[in-house]
Amino acid sequence: MPLPSRKKLHLGKTPMKFYFRAQDISVNLDGIDVEGSLVLVWKRGTRRTASEPFPIVEELSAVDGSLSRTAATTQDMAQICTMFKSSKGAFEPKLSKVSLVVEPPAGGAGRGGKAEQGKKLGSTTLDLGAYASVDMTSHPVELSFLDGKASVTMTLASHWLKD
């Protein structure tokens, strides 16, 4: 007996291909003690895109002596996916996964002299269906990681790739 298909049925729905682009990406790490560089990884199904490593910057406040850790990249990240639109005009949810990975400082060698691998700080989901529109749109997005100890802010632009 064959196993049931894992594919979701989209009966009565209109498939529409979309281009999503994350830009102006910045990370706030005030609640985490890390050093090195960050990599942002964005996955949807088998598709994966990752940023180049970007440095974590520590800044000491002259006012109250507090330490802040931030990171930012000018690199854009993109995903193309098919969204399904109902006859009522709403798009079905389409979940993607966003992860923060810390790369060790340059020259960091682990045990045995081997270079250390990146360590995943955390992951969260991003519903692309909430940002899909037949018109070209751009939305500010804030994603929370590690119970609010880290956050990613970005602008998520989307547009329909008309046949």
Side-chain angles (χ1 to χ4, degrees), residues 18-24 76 130-142 154-160:
F18 275 84
Y19 176 81
F20 291 93
R21 185 178 72 239
Q23 53 198 13
D24 305 322
D76 291 354
Y131 302 97
S133 170
V134 292
D135 299 318
M136 188 177 288
T137 60
S138 186
H139 298 276
V141 175
E142 183 169 355
M154 66 176 125
T155 301
L156 187 62
S158 72
H159 71 272
W160 174 32

Side-chain angles (χ1 to χ4, degrees), residues 50-71:
S51 70
E52 292 294 322
F54 50 103
I56 297 169
V57 178
E58 292 183 339
E59 190 173 325
L60 193 60
S61 170
V63 176
D64 63 4
S66 63
L67 180 66
S68 67
R69 290 181 185 86
T70 58

Side-chain angles (χ1 to χ4, degrees), residues 1 9-10 30 36 41 50 56 72 80 82 93 109 113 139 149 160 162:
M1 181 171 166
L9 293 178
H10 301 285
D30 285 344
V41 179
I56 297 169
I80 295 175
T82 302
H139 298 276
K149 293 179 184 173
W160 174 32
K162 299 175 187 169

